[in-house]
């Protein structure tokens, strides 16, 4: 057994050693195989640039072979023409250079005179030279050194020609190999892609996503690099022409080309126009104006254009780009510097899609490796509450509009609690008994108290009831918020009180958790807290919110709710189960406990608070507000012809595609009229005689919320949403999940929605929501094209 334990301890070290050996072999292969790998890498880079043009010609009906030949020929023609033009410019400048000799000579003499003038450092230099002579002298006399000059015999013309050919043979050969590889890549792109997919393993989904991401990132980087270089070269040429520097177009083209070489290229391209401005003008005005032009363009390009165009096109951090440039330059020289960013992007994509290489994404990627909730937890554990508070305030400010109202502030703070603070407390709860020390717990508690104080100071509660969506004042509720057991429960209760206070309710919260007060004997004869403020708050409360971070809250929730109801039977109770989503997802758990509802976020809690405020319900459903311009919207709906029966096959086809893509049970296209919502061809809605297909009263439709909000609406569990939990039509069909994207016409009116539904609760990723939105936009485009084609057929 001791031997096995020692061997188990050695496994991580052995894995590290094996990984380092493999990395060393890969680096050695890259270095010693550079003669073959450099042309291949260059050809791949050029293939990314030229392949979109080849694909476009192929879509226009040209065979791929002919398209590749046309694109390569055009590229070579452009490069050849550009080379001939630049060559003529260089030849003209070479012929004019002798005329600038006198100007150069006069300026150098002037600089030499200024350099030889007496200065404050002459005494220092004189003393230094005297000491140096004394050190190197022998017996006080300087050693006499006789200069020897070795003259090489003049080589023969044949020898010089061979030397010249040997110098150009290597780049010409490399260029020929690159050209051959480019043609082969353009011709056999699909075959090469299939082989790469096969090499990356059997998971075609993962390999396809990796190749698509690499192609998208590198292609976007090259396109943006071209635009950035063009935005630098054109103003440079124009500015040099206005200043009067000879060969302005030549230097503009050279500046644009040299910016493909990171860091070094811009400096090298600036040397030539500066040197020519120095040689042409007898004074210093042209040189200074040229220098100012170059510095201005560099500042604009580096600080405005590049951040605006690049964005996150590569996904690499600034440090990783610099390190990658150094690494690839050391391996492959100047070509490695040019290829450093595309090659590193490929490594980043591999790290993102291959689990064993995940560390590469962590080292090279620009995305934060810690989420906001993890960063907040770490700052609190590090006793850096100032940074935690500043980060929290910045996060809330980012979610506010330009001129925020009280409702906007409440929504922003609520989002911060849901997305950052509550998950941070959840992390702290998981580590409470595992790795946290007493000092860690104290730091977390103190830091979170400071964070809450700052947020409450910057966003104080409102004493006025907030209006509803129609501008009418809502009834102000008296809400008491309490924690169940731990200190994190009490912190969450304070967040609940802050949020509902921002929404205009009269709130109070307990500084002691219920179970803690009971454990310390601070309770009455009823087994409830004996604190006078607690008793007074509950006596007049309209709602009690009980916060819990216990992952298994069933028994405690039933016990506490039972005690509350024995003493205050008329006060509804909402359980905020922030760390028990499985228990909250059970639609019968709240009823078993005797609570009004179970929620897991501040957003869900506020929906239930709004449900208590609602005075009018349509068969157990809280109807969505009607937009102010609804009459104009309905008129556009009738004029659009989207409810034409001829479009029903298109709707059914789109619905089937959505069901297959999202793996849901239902999907439908809905059009929202003034009183009803119509879903042509829907199998979920009941058919209504005399209407445009299946229909449902607008007050009972979720789609009416999509129309009102004019944005994507996702409800993970309808049974936990008070707006729809009592909807009889949804209960009959057992619909639990809904996601609807607005169908918007060209005037900006939301005519309806394209929705997917399921009989099980579920979540949607950002990519899924983007895809659903794209399908809705594509459906509107297909409708316009179908109607246009139908009108053309009638004519």
């Amino acid at each position: 057994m001791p031997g096995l334990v020692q061997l188990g301890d050695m496994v991580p070290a052995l894995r590290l050693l094996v990984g380092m050996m493999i990395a060393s072999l890969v680096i050695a292969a890259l270095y010693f195989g550079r003669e073959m790998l450099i042309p291949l890498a260059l050809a791949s880079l050029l293939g990314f640039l030229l392949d979109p043009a080849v694909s476009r010609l192929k879509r226009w009906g040209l065979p791929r072979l002919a398209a590749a030949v046309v694109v390569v020929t055009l590229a070579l023609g452009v490069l050849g023409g550009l080379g001939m033009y630049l060559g003529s410019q260089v030849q003209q400048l070479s012929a004019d250079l002798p005329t600038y000799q006198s100007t150069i000579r006069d300026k150098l003499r002037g600089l030499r005179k200024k350099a030889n003038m007496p200065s404050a450092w002459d005494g220092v230099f004189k003393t230094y030279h005297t000491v140096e002579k004394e050190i190197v002298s022998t017996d006080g006399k300087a050693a006499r050194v006789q200069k020897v000059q070795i003259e090489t015999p003049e080589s023969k013309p044949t020898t010089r020609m061979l030397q010249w050919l040997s110098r150009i043979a290597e780049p010409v050969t490399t260029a020929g190999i690159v050209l051959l590889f480019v043609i082969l890549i353009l011709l056999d792109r699909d075959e090469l892609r299939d082989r790469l997919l096969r090499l990356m393993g059997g998971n075609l989904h993962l390999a396809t996503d990796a190749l698509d991401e690499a192609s998208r990132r590198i292609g976007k980087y090259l396109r943006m690099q071209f635009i950035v270089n063009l935005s630098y070269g054109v103003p440079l040429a124009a500015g040099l022409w206005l200043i009067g520097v000879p060969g302005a177009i030549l230097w503009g083209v050279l500046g644009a080309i040299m910016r493909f070489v990171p860091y070094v290229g811009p400096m090298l391209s600036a040397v030539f126009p500066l040197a020519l401005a120095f040689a042409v003008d007898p004074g210093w005005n042209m040189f200074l104006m040229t220098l100012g032009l170059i510095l201005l363009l560099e500042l604009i390009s580096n600080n405005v254009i590049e951040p605006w165009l690049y964005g996150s096109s590569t996904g690499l951090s600034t440090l990783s780009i610099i390190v990658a440039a150094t690494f690839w330059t050391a391996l492959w020289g100047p070509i490695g510097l040019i290829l450093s960013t595309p090659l590193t992007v490929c490594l980043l994509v591999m790290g993102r899609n291959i689990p064993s290489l995940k560390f590469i994404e962590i080292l090279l990627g620009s995305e934060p490796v810690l989420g906001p909730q993890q960063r907040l937890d770490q700052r609190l554990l590090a006793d850096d509450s100032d940074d935690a508070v500043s980060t929290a305030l910045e996060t809330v400010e980012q979610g506010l509009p330009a001129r925020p109202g009280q409702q906007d502030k409440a929504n922003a703070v609520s989002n911060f609690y849901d997305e950052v603070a509550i998950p941070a407390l959840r992390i702290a709860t998981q580590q409470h008994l595992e790795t946290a020390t007493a000092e860690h717990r104290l730091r977390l508690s103190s830091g979170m108290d400071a964070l809450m104080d700052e947020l409450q100071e910057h966003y104080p509660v409102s004493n006025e009831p907030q209006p509803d969506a129609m501008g009418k004042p809502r009834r102000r509720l008296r809400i008491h918020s309490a924690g169940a057991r731990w200190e994190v429960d009490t912190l969450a209760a304070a967040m609940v009180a802050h949020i509902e206070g921002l929404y205009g309710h009269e709130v109070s919260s307990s500084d002691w958790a219920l179970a803690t007060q009971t454990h310390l004997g601070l309770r009455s004869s009823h087994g409830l807290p004996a604190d006078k403020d607690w008793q007074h708050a509950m006596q007049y409360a309209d709602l009690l919110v009980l916060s819990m971070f216990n992952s298994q809250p069933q028994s405690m929730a039933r016990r506490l709710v039972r005690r509350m109801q024995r003493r205050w039977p008329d006060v509804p109770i909402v359980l905020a189960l922030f760390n028990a989503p499985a228990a909250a997802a059970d639609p019968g758990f709240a009823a078993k406990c005797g609570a009004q509802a179970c929620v897991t976020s501040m957003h869900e809690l506020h929906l239930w608070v709004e449900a208590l405020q609602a005075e009018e319900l349509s068969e157990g459903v809280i109807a969505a507000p009607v937009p102010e311009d609804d009459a104009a919207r309905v008129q556009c709906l009738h004029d659009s012809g989207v409810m034409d029966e001829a479009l029903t096959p298109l709707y059914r086809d789109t619905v089937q595609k959505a069901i297959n893509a999202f793996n849901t049970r239902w999907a439908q296209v809905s059009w929202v009229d003034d009183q009803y919502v119509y879903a042509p061809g829907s199998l979920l809605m009941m058919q209504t005689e005399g209407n445009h297909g299946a229909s449902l009263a607008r007050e009972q439709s979720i789609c009416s919320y999509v129309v009102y909000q004019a944005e994507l609406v996702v409800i993970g569990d309808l049974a936990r949403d008070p707006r729809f939990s009592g909807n009889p039509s949804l209960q009959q069909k057992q619909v639990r999940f809904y996601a609807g994207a607005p169908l918007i016409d060209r005037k900006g009116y939301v005519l309806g929605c394209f929705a997917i539904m399921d009989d099980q609760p579920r979540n949607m990723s950002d990519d899924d929501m983007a895809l659903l939105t794209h399908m809705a936009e594509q459906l509107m485009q297909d409708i316009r094209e179908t109607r246009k084609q139908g009108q053309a057929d009638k004519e």
Side-chain angles (χ1 to χ4, degrees), residues 442-494:
L442 179 61
R443 290 178 178 179
L444 177 70
S445 174
S446 302
M448 192 60 74
D449 285 337
L451 175 65
M452 291 293 303
D453 291 340
E454 288 291 335
L455 286 176
Q456 291 172 359
E457 181 178 350
H458 279 78
Y459 304 99
V461 299
S462 174
N463 295 323
E464 298 294 333
Q466 296 300 306
D468 58 14
M470 304 305 296
K472 299 179 180 179
R474 288 173 172 166
R475 181 168 62 98
R476 194 181 186 202
L477 301 180
R478 292 183 293 269
I479 302 175
H480 185 68
S481 177
R485 181 178 181 184
W486 295 341
E487 189 171 7
V488 290
D489 298 342
T490 307
L491 290 172

Side-chain angles (χ1 to χ4, degrees), residues 292-360:
L293 173 65
I294 293 174
L295 292 178
L296 178 63
L297 291 177
E298 286 290 341
L299 289 174
I300 295 175
S301 180
N302 294 334
N303 298 288
V304 179
I305 297 179
E306 289 185 6
W308 174 48
L309 290 178
Y310 283 156
S312 57
S313 60
T314 62
L316 299 172
S317 64
T318 304
L319 179 61
S320 66
I321 291 176
I322 297 175
V323 173
T326 305
F327 172 78
W328 289 107
T329 303
L331 281 182
W332 289 356
I335 301 299
L337 181 60
I338 298 174
L339 297 174
S340 60
T341 299
L343 291 173
T344 310
V345 168
C346 293
L347 292 177
L348 175 68
V349 173
M350 291 174 60
R352 181 167 297 170
N353 292 277
I354 300 177
S356 59
L357 300 178
K358 187 70 175 178
F359 70 94
I360 296 180

Side-chain angles (χ1 to χ4, degrees), residues 210-455:
L211 286 181
D212 289 344
E213 182 181 358
S215 177
R216 184 181 68 254
R217 288 186 179 274
I218 294 176
K220 184 178 180 181
Y221 165 75
L222 293 176
R223 290 191 297 272
M224 294 303 103
Q225 181 71 59
F226 177 77
I227 296 175
V228 168
N229 294 0
L230 197 64
S231 66
Y232 177 85
V234 172
L236 178 62
L240 293 177
W241 180 76
L242 292 174
I243 293 172
V245 178
I249 298 178
L250 171 64
W251 309 128
V253 174
L254 180 64
I257 294 175
M258 291 300 293
R259 290 188 71 86
F260 279 106
V261 182
Y263 311 112
V264 180
M267 292 186 293
L268 293 178
S269 64
V271 171
F272 300 101
L274 287 173
L276 198 57
F278 175 83
V280 171
D281 186 14
W284 292 93
N285 292 335
M286 182 178 292
F287 178 82
L288 293 177
M289 286 190 294
T290 303
L291 179 62
L293 173 65
I294 293 174
L295 292 178
L296 178 63
L297 291 177
E298 286 290 341
L299 289 174
I300 295 175
S301 180
N302 294 334
N303 298 288
V304 179
I305 297 179
E306 289 185 6
W308 174 48
L309 290 178
Y310 283 156
S312 57
S313 60
T314 62
L316 299 172
S317 64
T318 304
L319 179 61
S320 66
I321 291 176
I322 297 175
V323 173
T326 305
F327 172 78
W328 289 107
T329 303
L331 281 182
W332 289 356
I335 301 299
L337 181 60
I338 298 174
L339 297 174
S340 60
T341 299
L343 291 173
T344 310
V345 168
C346 293
L347 292 177
L348 175 68
V349 173
M350 291 174 60
R352 181 167 297 170
N353 292 277
I354 300 177
S356 59
L357 300 178
K358 187 70 175 178
F359 70 94
I360 296 180
E361 181 189 10
I362 296 175
L363 293 175
L364 302 179
S366 60
E367 297 180 0
V369 295
L370 294 179
Q373 64 276 9
Q374 295 171 318
R375 288 201 301 272
L376 177 62
D377 182 61
Q378 191 276 330
R379 299 300 187 270
L380 295 178
L381 293 178
D383 201 18
D384 192 0
S385 57
D386 292 337
D387 188 24
V389 169
S390 62
T391 303
L393 294 176
E394 290 176 2
T395 304
V396 176
E397 289 293 333
Q398 291 174 359
L400 291 175
R403 295 181 179 179
Q406 185 65 25
Q407 187 85 6
D408 299 320
K409 295 178 181 179
N411 292 336
V413 177
S414 177
N415 291 335
F416 170 75
Y417 284 151
D418 279 340
E419 298 172 4
V420 182
I422 294 297
L425 290 180
R426 192 176 297 121
I427 296 174
T429 302
Q430 295 171 354
Q431 298 175 346
H432 181 78
L433 298 177
E434 298 176 0
T435 57
T437 63
E439 185 176 2
H440 289 152
R441 301 186 192 106
L442 179 61
R443 290 178 178 179
L444 177 70
S445 174
S446 302
M448 192 60 74
D449 285 337
L451 175 65
M452 291 293 303
D453 291 340
E454 288 291 335
L455 286 176

Side-chain angles (χ1 to χ4, degrees), residues 692-710:
H692 300 276
S695 65
L696 182 70
R698 179 172 177 175
E699 293 82 1
Q700 301 182 27
S701 172
I702 310 176
C703 188
S704 58
Y705 278 90
V706 180
V707 171
Y708 172 70
Q709 298 180 14

